[in-house]
């Protein structure tokens, strides 16, 4: 095709990719090119703006390390990660508890704990979280894995508190198992909301857009059992001032929780309590539901 102009360039680019043997790759790349070209035409992108975009993406890449994924942070702040979660939920065979972001602070192999253990080494005000892990009909799932991780009462994850330490000690995280009825209970603290990492190009973008950069107070969970769809989710505190303006769009109505000062049903009396039941859908062959990853897995270079 010789008569390439600002319109025909799109079909020309797609035509050149048309022999792509992998049909899914072909579909994704064709759509990506169409939308990218439409975007450039829509805003009438100038050479200076194009170069600024290239510089920004370069800075995002340069900020990535085995401990930090600035590209995922970019995806989070653009609403892309939350969108991928919603699309993942739509593909479920059965509708269970809604998913939410895995976030950058998940760590594999958190300490194994017993029912009622406290996941925080130096708690100030302890709370109890309890409930059931069930199938979508409400039947308890015995021996389900309940992984939990969160910030402390000042809004810092263990990794942030031990920045620069070679082998950071795991704190504010743990792995529990449900009992024969599918019940779990544990002690922790009420986490404080916090700002996403703001010292990189994504933080600069967020500030340039006059956004506050905060995530509301939340507690992450990864819940699983053989034969069920892995659930990556988080529970959000109703009281947080940023509950309606999460910088990474992770909040969903059904994931907002209330802390009860006095809960007669709590398995551990004398502590404020949160009661939450997780419902797992049947496993589907549609891959992982983890929108996020341990950053060290992404920076691995394969030769
Ligand atoms: C988090 O929940 O830990 C998180 C998620 C997205 C960006 C930054 C932090
Ligand atoms: Fe978080």
């Amino acid at each position: 095709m010789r008569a390439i102009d600002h319109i025909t360039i799109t079909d020309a680019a797609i035509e050149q990719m048309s022999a792509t043997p992998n049909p899914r790759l072909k579909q994704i790349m064709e759509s990506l090119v169409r939308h990218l070209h439409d975007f450039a035409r829509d805003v009438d992108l100038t050479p200076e703006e194009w170069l600024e975009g290239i510089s920004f993406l370069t800075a995002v890449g340069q900020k990535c390390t085995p401990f930090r994924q600035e590209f995922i942070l970019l995806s989070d702040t653009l609403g892309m990660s939350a969108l991928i979660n919603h699309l993942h939920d739509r593909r479920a065979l059965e509708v269970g508890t809604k998913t939410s972001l895995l976030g950058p602070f998940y760590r594999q192999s958190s300490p194994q704990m017993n029912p009622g253990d406290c996941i925080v080494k130096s708690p100030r005000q302890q709370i109890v979280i309890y409930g059931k892990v069930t199938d979508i009909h409400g039947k308890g799932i015995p021996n389900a894995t309940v992984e939990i991780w969160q910030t402390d009462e000042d809004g810092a994850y263990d990794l942030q508190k031990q920045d620069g330490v070679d082998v950071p000690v795991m704190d504010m995280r743990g792995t529990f198992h449900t009992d024969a009825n599918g019940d779990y209970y544990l002690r922790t603290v009420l986490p404080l909301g916090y700002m996403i990492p703001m010292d990189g190009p994504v933080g600069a973008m967020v500030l340039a857009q006059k956004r506050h950069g905060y995530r509301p107070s939340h507690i992450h969970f990864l819940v699983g059992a053989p034969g069920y769809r892995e659930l990556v989710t988080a529970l959000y505190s109703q009281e947080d001032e940023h509950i309606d303006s999460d910088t990474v769009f992770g909040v969903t109505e059904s994931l907002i929780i209330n802390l009860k000062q006095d809960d007669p049903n709590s398995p551990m009396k004398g502590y404020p309590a949160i009661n939450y039941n997780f419902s797992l859908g049947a496993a589907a062959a549609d891959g992982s539901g983890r929108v996020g990853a341990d950053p060290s897995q992404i920076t691995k270079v394969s030769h």
Side-chain angles (χ1 to χ4, degrees), residues 73 76 101-105 149 157 194 196-197 215 218 220 236 248:
L73 194 61
D76 297 341
L101 303 183
L102 184 78
F105 297 107
W149 67 105
Y157 282 95
Y194 57 85
I196 62 161
R215 294 217 69 203
H218 62 274
H220 295 272
Y236 294 87
V248 298

Side-chain angles (χ1 to χ4, degrees), residues 169-238:
V169 176
M170 293 216 194
D171 196 4
M172 288 93 68
R173 58 182 80 229
T175 301
F176 294 80
H177 289 90
T178 56
D179 66 14
N181 298 316
D183 290 316
Y184 75 92
Y185 66 104
L186 58 94
R187 279 173 300 143
T188 182
V189 297
L190 199 61
L192 197 68
Y194 57 85
M195 266 184 160
I196 62 161
M198 294 292 279
D199 59 337
V202 174
M205 176 194 80
V206 165
L207 290 177
Q209 295 166 335
K210 298 277 177 244
R211 296 158 70 182
H212 53 61
Y214 275 94
R215 294 217 69 203
S217 163
H218 62 274
I219 303 174
H220 295 272
F221 288 90
L222 200 159
V223 184
Y228 294 92
R229 201 169 204 244
E230 184 181 70
L231 172 67
V232 180
T233 195
L235 302 180
Y236 294 87
S237 173
Q238 169 82 59

Side-chain angles (χ1 to χ4, degrees), residues 14 27 47 66 80-81 98 105 140 211 243 276:
I14 288 170
Q27 180 193 13
M80 186 68 176
S81 308
K98 285 260 178 209
F105 297 107
R211 296 158 70 182
I243 190 72
Y276 200 88

